[in-house]
Amino acid sequence: MSTDTGTNWAAFTAAEPELAKTVEERFAAYTHHVLATLRKDGSPRTTGLEVRFLNGELWFGMMPDSLKALDLRCDPRFALQANPGEGTGMGGGDVRISGRAVEIADDDTETRARYAEKVEPPEPFHLFRTELTEVVRTYVEDEKYLVVQVWKPGEPVRTLKRT
């Protein structure tokens, strides 16, 4: 039974290490990815974003008062899609992550310093850790099957194959 509670990247990696490795590799292949957020009026917004996997978390760092940061402050739900790259190859498949973004307050100097030590973002910046509610990988197997892997917290990966 699925719960609506999100989980951090470390818990996902512990539960599904093979899928987590594939997802990280897809995000590492390119710098910029596509983040979908919800505007105040509920309409969707997509923007480019760099992501980081550090200290057992998936992080979003953003410029001050960026629209995507303001969106996440109003409604923390997001969808993130790995950059598919050029052409139609998509080595490793199409990867998407959904969840909620939790902003790290400016006064949490220890967490922000640990992030900044590794990433060296321009100051000031918004910092969000993520709570995952779904991870999806879609790929083609044997040039015959469309394979969809779906993970949700508290559930094993479901794999669907279609011809």
Side-chain angles (χ1 to χ4, degrees):
M1 177 176 193
S2 176
T3 65
D4 195 36
T5 303
T7 190
N8 73 359
W9 188 256
F12 167 59
T13 300
E16 297 295 340
E18 187 175 316
L19 180 57
K21 181 177 185 278
T22 299
V23 170
E24 280 194 51
E25 288 171 353
R26 285 295 297 125
F27 279 98
Y30 298 94
T31 302
H32 297 97
H33 307 286
V34 178
L35 177 71
T37 57
L38 296 170
R39 301 171 197 226
K40 285 182 186 179
D41 68 3
S43 64
R45 180 193 318 269
T46 59
T47 55
L49 179 73
E50 295 180 30
V51 300
R52 305 287 183 182
F53 297 91
L54 299 169
N55 305 319
E57 301 283 358
L58 169 58
W59 298 96
F60 301 161
M62 301 172 194
M63 293 172 56
D65 298 322
S66 69
L67 293 176
K68 57 192 158 204
L70 299 177
D71 289 347
L72 290 171
R73 282 181 164 177
C74 289
D75 188 327
R77 293 175 294 171
F78 71 87
L80 176 68
Q81 183 159 7
N83 185 330
E86 295 181 26
T88 59
M90 285 202 306
D94 177 48
V95 174
R96 298 178 306 280
I97 298 172
S98 298
R100 287 179 298 279
V102 178
E103 189 165 17
I104 304 303
D106 288 342
D107 63 0
D108 186 347
T109 55
E110 182 181 330
T111 300
R112 293 175 69 82
R114 277 197 320 263
Y115 177 84
E117 179 181 307
K118 300 283 188 186
V119 178
E120 299 179 6
E123 296 279 350
F125 64 98
H126 293 284
L127 181 61
F128 295 86
R129 69 173 181 78
T130 61
E131 295 177 348
L132 313 178
T133 57
E134 183 178 67
V135 177
V136 179
R137 175 183 177 220
T138 304
Y139 63 97
V140 176
E141 182 179 280
D142 298 330
E143 297 182 22
K144 180 179 180 181
Y145 300 101
L146 178 67
V147 181
V148 181
Q149 294 176 295
V150 179
W151 174 86
K152 293 182 180 185
E155 298 180 11
V157 171
R158 286 183 304 126
T159 302
L160 310 160
K161 278 188 179 184
R162 296 184 181 148
T163 54

